[in-house]
């Protein structure tokens, strides 16, 4: 039986981050409920079209999927299980922003079958988080991370951003050290892109912020690669590192050209 990967886009967030140019926006409860219904209808429609496939990974991305209630996310996953055949050990990831996770929600996600959590820390420096327009500080991230572990998540990714205006090689190393100290199972890091039309871009055009130089940006990247390798994380993609046994299977399926199906307004299929 052929394998298939699923990506489900949840386009809602509490508020747009200053650097974000993805399709996402705040939405009230009626809009969220209506969206979930339409997403479930789309899943049901395509389920009958792919009966010869089995699903080996599912990824709920955003936006901020965990802005939805736990029972809503569970209902979405149940719809997938109803209309698609899943392999027994399917990797099922949900993206999470600190500040949108409660103990009850984390427990509900684990009970529903989500077995991987991807958490957007971005920086351990509160000043940098404020500049990025994040809804959380580092202390709130630590609280969310602890809730996730206690709920039973045994596979957690932490997302980081380097090259933030005002950051230095030392502040970036500090973020890496504080992230690794938590012993996440997977780490991803990306260079900040200042995209036209975002609040950060307007700040850049007004000379309120200065971009990190290309030389410093490269240094931050190579410093991170070296640091994470020494800390026991193995690089398997340009920006992705994992402990033994925790390579993101969904990521790898994209790289090797496996077939995937996307649901939602900013998802693609191949």
């Amino acid at each position: 039986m052929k394998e298939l990967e699923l990506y489900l886009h949840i386009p809602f967030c509490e508020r747009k981050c200053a650097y974000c140019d993805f399709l996402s926006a705040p939405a009230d409860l009626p809009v969220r409920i209506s969206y979930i219904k339409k997403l479930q209808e789309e899943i049901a429609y395509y389920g009958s079209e792919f009966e010869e496939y089995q699903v080996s990974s599912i990824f709920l991305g955003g936006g901020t999927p965990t802005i939805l209630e736990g029972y809503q996310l569970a209902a979405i996953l149940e719809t997938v299980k109803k209309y698609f055949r899943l392999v027994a050990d399917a990797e099922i990831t949900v993206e999470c922003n600190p500040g949108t996770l409660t103990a009850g929600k984390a427990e509900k996600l684990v009970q529903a079958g989500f077995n991987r959590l991807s958490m957007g820390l971005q920086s351990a420096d509160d000043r940098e988080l404020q500049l990025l327009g994040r809804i959380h500080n580092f202390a709130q991230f630590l609280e969310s991370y602890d809730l996730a572990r206690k709920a039973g998540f045994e596979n957690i990714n932490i997302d980081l951003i380097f090259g933030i205006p005002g950051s230095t090689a030392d502040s970036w190393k500090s973020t890496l050290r504080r992230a690794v100290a938590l012993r996440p199972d997977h780490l991803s890091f990306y260079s900040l892109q200042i995209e036209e039309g975002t609040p950060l871009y307007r700040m850049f055009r007004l000379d309120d912020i200065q971009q990190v130089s290309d030389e410093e940006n490269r240094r931050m990247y190579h410093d991170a690669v070296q640091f994470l390798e020494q800390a026991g994380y193995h690089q398997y993609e340009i920006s992705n590192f994992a402990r033994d046994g925790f390579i993101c299977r969904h990521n790898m399926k994209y790289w090797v050209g496996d077939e995937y199906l996307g649901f939602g307004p900013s998802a693609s299929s191949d």
Side-chain angles (χ1 to χ4, degrees):
M1 183 172 284
K2 294 183 288 186
E3 289 197 356
L4 183 69
E5 322 311 315
L6 303 183
Y7 179 87
L8 283 67
H9 181 219
I10 308 297
F12 309 125
C13 54
E14 193 164 314
R15 72 163 185 255
K16 293 279 283 187
C17 294
Y19 59 92
C20 179
D21 73 336
F22 295 124
L23 177 57
S24 63
D28 59 21
L29 183 59
V31 171
R32 297 179 196 177
I33 291 173
S34 178
Y35 179 82
I36 292 169
K37 181 180 178 182
K38 293 299 183 182
L39 185 65
Q40 290 173 312
E41 291 174 358
E42 187 180 14
I43 292 166
Y45 175 82
Y46 282 102
S48 60
E49 301 268 320
F50 289 86
E51 292 180 343
E52 72 275 22
Y53 288 82
Q54 58 181 0
V55 173
S56 57
S57 75
I58 303 168
F59 197 105
L60 270 70
T64 304
T66 49
I67 199 171
L68 299 181
E69 298 297 332
Y71 72 87
Q72 293 174 320
L73 291 166
I76 293 170
L77 183 55
E78 281 304 309
T79 302
V80 174
K81 292 178 178 179
K82 180 178 180 180
Y83 292 100
F84 285 86
R85 186 194 307 270
L86 272 62
V87 301
D89 64 341
E91 178 189 87
I92 306 175
T93 303
V94 59
E95 286 186 336
C96 167
N97 269 353
T100 64
L101 194 67
T102 64
K105 187 180 293 187
E107 291 167 2
K108 183 66 175 178
L109 293 175
V110 172
Q111 292 167 4
F114 291 95
N115 52 31
R116 186 173 183 272
L117 194 67
S118 183
M119 304 187 69
L121 169 57
Q122 316 312 356
S123 172
D125 185 308
D126 286 345
R127 184 201 63 81
E128 293 175 4
L129 291 173
Q130 186 175 19
L131 177 66
L132 294 174
R134 302 292 290 172
I135 65 171
H136 65 91
N137 57 34
F138 184 59
Q140 289 168 322
F141 168 82
L142 292 176
E143 181 180 355
S144 295
Y145 186 89
D146 186 56
L147 288 176
R149 285 300 197 198
K150 287 180 177 176
F153 276 103
E154 298 179 351
N155 189 352
I156 297 179
N157 169 63
I158 294 179
D159 272 340
L160 302 174
I161 291 176
F162 67 97
I164 300 169
S167 65
T168 64
D170 287 341
S171 67
W172 171 231
K173 287 178 183 177
S174 176
T175 285
L176 289 168
R177 284 194 296 270
R178 296 171 87 175
V180 165
L182 298 170
R183 297 302 296 163
D185 309 288
H186 189 283
L187 278 155
S188 302
F189 63 83
Y190 307 94
S191 176
L192 177 68
Q193 303 297 308
I194 300 181
E195 303 288 355
E196 189 171 352
T198 64
L200 211 61
Y201 180 80
R202 291 191 288 272
M203 294 170 67
F204 171 68
R205 289 298 301 269
L206 292 170
D207 288 329
D208 291 335
I209 59 172
Q210 299 294 321
Q211 284 186 291
V212 170
S213 70
D214 289 343
E215 293 76 13
E216 187 72 357
N217 195 279
R218 283 194 294 271
R219 178 185 173 189
M220 289 179 177
Y221 174 81
H222 290 294
D223 283 350
V225 171
Q226 183 179 34
F227 178 81
L228 292 177
E229 289 282 3
Q230 292 174 346
Y233 292 86
H234 306 300
Q235 184 178 23
Y236 69 97
E237 290 178 2
I238 294 172
S239 296
N240 287 285
F241 295 74
R243 293 166 52 199
D244 288 339
F246 289 96
I247 287 175
C248 179
R249 287 153 52 189
H250 192 85
N251 285 352
M252 288 302 298
K253 296 295 184 178
Y254 289 140
W255 279 88
V256 299
D258 281 2
E259 294 179 89
Y260 58 89
L261 187 61
F263 298 97
S266 190
S268 61
S269 302
D270 184 24

